[in-house]
């Protein structure tokens, strides 16, 4: 019995969470997968219920779960709140001790036309960005801001780099066995250390093809030849930039899932998009990012590869039929609930 903590969040979160859970209910019966759902408020909904975005009740439920499936948080309703919903995200990630953020991108043939890139460039893209979350410029000390001078420090330890790099090698081993490590070792001392650690760890993964790239060259290569890459691992700042660059290649944020992995072994799965409060309750939100977050959870937290594959194939078949939500086809589109029903029908 797997305990799944579902945090619907704000805006369209409850709608797309409902889609994912309806699909999970159907596919779990097919594979005799036993699970239990716990639910709790988070973000703006938690502010309304408890006066804070990350409550003690949620912390208690986290201790008893095997994985967390979460919607997006925030919205203009809480712009003037004492503590904004987004502050809950930072607190949650700190509580879980997350060290790796993972964003996959797979461009389906039926959706190539959405990409800002030419179809012949983007078609067949299937890659994953693995971003380190605990070190680098965002957490480095000392830092200061003065009237005419500012300082940020980029710091990394061998252990921080080794942890994320081993995770990336393990992930590549489960995919196409290709790993690209991104740094700026021609300039930065931390990148020189990063490259050394990658080379050290690579000795334990001789079955994985490794290449190094400078971050500026990587940014260009993702636009000119994205199909070349499988797993890309990099430090915090570079990963933040590259993962946002990758997010536009598929043409819609509504397609992008993400995961954050923690030292506590409890992983957090969520769409990469925002809470879209402007369309909340209208039954037009794209549930695919949440559905793919579900398949990531099944695959990486519960080792249910076949279940995940079945769901992903069902989504692909529905898209191939031309059945899409409004963000993908503004002229001929179906509702969130109708799209979910179509996927369930394909699951048989």
């Amino acid at each position: 019995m797997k305990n799944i903590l579902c945090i619907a969040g704000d805006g369209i979160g409850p709608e797309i969470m409902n889609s994912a859970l309806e699909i999970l209910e159907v596919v779990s019966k097919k594979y005799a997968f036993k699970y239990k759902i716990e639910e709790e408020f988070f973000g703006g909904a938690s502010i309304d219920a408890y006066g804070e975005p990350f409550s003690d009740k949620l912390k208690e439920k986290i201790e008893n779960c095997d994985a967390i499936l979460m919607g997006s948080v925030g919205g203009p309703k809480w712009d003037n709140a004492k503590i904004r919903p987004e502050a809950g995200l930072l607190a949650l990630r700190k509580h879980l001790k997350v060290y790796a953020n993972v964003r996959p991108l797979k461009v389906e043939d039926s959706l190539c036309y959405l990409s800002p890139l030419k179809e012949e460039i983007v078609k067949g893209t299937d890659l994953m960005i693995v971003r380190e979350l605990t070190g680098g410029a965002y957490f480095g000390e000392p830092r200061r801001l003065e009237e005419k001078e500012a300082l940020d420090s980029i710091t990394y330890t061998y252990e921080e780099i080794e942890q994320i790099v081993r995770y990336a090698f393990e992930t590549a081993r489960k995919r196409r066995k290709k790993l690209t490590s991104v740094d700026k070792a021609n300039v930065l001392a931390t990148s020189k250390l990063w490259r050394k650690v990658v080379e050290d760890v690579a000795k334990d993964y001789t079955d994985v093809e490794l290449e190094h790239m400078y971050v500026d060259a990587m940014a260009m290569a993702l636009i000119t030849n994205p199909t070349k890459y499988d797993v890309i691992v990099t430090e915090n700042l570079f990963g933040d930039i590259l993962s946002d660059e990758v997010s536009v290649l598929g043409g819609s944020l509504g397609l992008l899932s993400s995961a954050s992995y923690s030292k506590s072994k409890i992983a957090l799965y969520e769409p990469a998009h925002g809470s879209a409060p402007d369309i909340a309750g209208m039954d037009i939100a794209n549930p695919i990012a949440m559905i793919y977050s579900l398949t990531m959870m099944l695959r990486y937290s519960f080792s249910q590869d076949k279940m995940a594959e079945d769901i992903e194939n069902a989504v692909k078949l529905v898209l191939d039929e031309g059945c899409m939500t409004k963000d993908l086809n503004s002229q001929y589109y179906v509702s969130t609930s109708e799209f979910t029903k179509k996927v369930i029908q394909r699951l048989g």
Side-chain angles (χ1 to χ4, degrees):
M1 178 72 71
K2 300 299 182 183
N3 294 315
I4 302 170
L5 177 56
C6 292
I7 305 171
D10 307 318
I12 61 172
E15 298 169 67
I16 58 176
M17 177 67 76
N18 187 60
S19 292
L21 295 183
E22 286 182 12
I23 290 168
L24 176 59
E25 182 179 3
V26 171
V27 78
S28 65
K29 292 175 181 176
K30 183 177 179 181
Y31 288 93
F33 176 73
K34 296 182 179 180
Y35 67 96
K36 183 174 74 172
I37 296 292
E38 283 276 359
E39 297 180 304
E40 190 51 79
F41 296 120
F42 183 64
S46 180
I47 291 173
D48 290 347
Y50 307 125
E52 56 184 343
F54 184 30
S55 69
D56 289 339
K57 287 190 176 183
L58 179 55
K59 292 174 186 175
E60 290 175 13
K61 290 184 178 180
I62 286 172
E63 299 307 313
N64 298 313
C65 77
D66 296 305
I68 301 172
L69 190 63
M70 186 173 78
S72 302
V73 301
K77 178 182 177 181
W78 302 281
D79 281 349
N80 297 316
K82 187 176 180 180
I83 304 177
R84 289 174 60 88
E86 293 81 3
L89 284 172
L90 298 176
L92 174 61
R93 289 165 182 162
K94 185 176 181 180
H95 183 80
L96 291 172
K97 297 184 175 67
V98 296
Y99 68 91
N101 178 257
V102 178
R103 281 196 191 182
L105 172 70
K106 185 174 183 179
V107 181
E108 301 293 351
D109 290 355
S110 59
L111 299 180
C112 284
Y113 73 95
L114 291 170
S115 177
L117 301 183
K118 294 178 180 178
E119 181 174 341
E120 59 266 28
I121 294 175
V122 77
K123 187 175 182 179
T125 297
D126 182 4
L127 59 82
M128 183 175 282
I129 300 278
V130 177
R131 169 190 170 191
E132 202 284 325
L133 288 179
T134 66
Y138 294 165
F139 298 99
E141 295 290 347
R143 63 175 62 213
R144 68 173 183 269
L145 173 61
E146 299 174 359
E147 187 175 343
K148 294 187 177 181
E149 184 181 17
L151 171 69
D152 289 300
S153 300
I154 304 175
T155 58
Y156 267 109
T157 65
Y158 190 104
E159 291 73 21
E160 285 174 325
I161 300 170
E162 181 182 19
Q163 181 173 237
I164 190 72
V165 168
R166 283 197 180 278
Y167 176 83
F169 268 109
E170 291 289 343
T171 303
R173 182 175 268 175
K174 295 174 184 176
R175 287 170 52 95
R176 302 196 304 276
K177 293 183 170 58
K178 293 175 63 179
L179 179 65
T180 303
S181 174
V182 177
D183 59 40
K184 193 63 177 170
N186 57 334
V187 176
L188 300 176
T190 46
S191 281
K192 288 180 170 64
L193 176 63
W194 180 281
R195 189 168 292 208
K196 178 186 184 306
V197 176
V198 172
E199 289 292 344
D200 288 349
V201 174
K203 295 172 185 175
D204 296 330
Y205 297 90
T206 55
D207 57 320
V208 177
E209 178 187 343
L210 171 67
E211 69 170 337
H212 299 281
M213 287 192 71
Y214 296 140
V215 62
D216 45 348
M218 186 78 249
M220 183 169 56
L222 284 171
I223 298 300
T224 57
N225 192 14
T227 59
K228 176 184 175 183
Y229 300 99
D230 181 18
V231 177
I232 299 166
V233 63
T234 191
E235 59 102 78
N236 205 342
L237 176 59
F238 299 160
D240 192 3
I241 296 167
L242 292 178
S243 60
D244 281 354
E245 180 188 10
V246 162
S247 72
V248 304
L249 298 187
S252 173
L253 281 172
L255 304 168
L256 294 175
S257 59
S258 74
S260 296
Y261 295 97
S262 73
K263 296 176 183 177
S264 68
K265 306 302 182 185
I266 300 172
L268 174 67
Y269 300 91
E270 59 183 321
H273 59 67
S275 61
D278 56 318
I279 61 169
M282 297 172 64
D283 198 27
I284 60 172
N286 186 346
I288 293 177
M290 179 61 85
I291 295 169
Y292 284 168
S293 296
L294 168 67
T295 62
M296 287 187 77
M297 181 184 72
L298 290 171
R299 181 174 280 119
Y300 296 109
S301 280
F302 302 142
S303 299
Q304 296 291 331
D305 291 17
K306 193 66 175 68
M307 284 178 67
E309 188 178 322
D310 270 12
I311 296 171
E312 290 162 354
N313 285 340
V315 171
K316 182 180 184 302
L317 288 170
V318 173
L319 290 173
D320 287 347
E321 293 171 359
C323 183
M324 302 176 188
T325 48
K326 190 174 182 180
D327 61 314
L328 304 180
N329 189 333
S330 61
Q331 288 186 307
Y332 306 102
Y333 61 89
V334 298
S335 66
T336 309
S337 52
E338 183 63 25
F339 184 89
T340 305
K341 288 176 184 177
K342 293 280 189 182
V343 173
I344 289 172
Q345 288 170 3
R346 282 296 185 176
L347 285 168

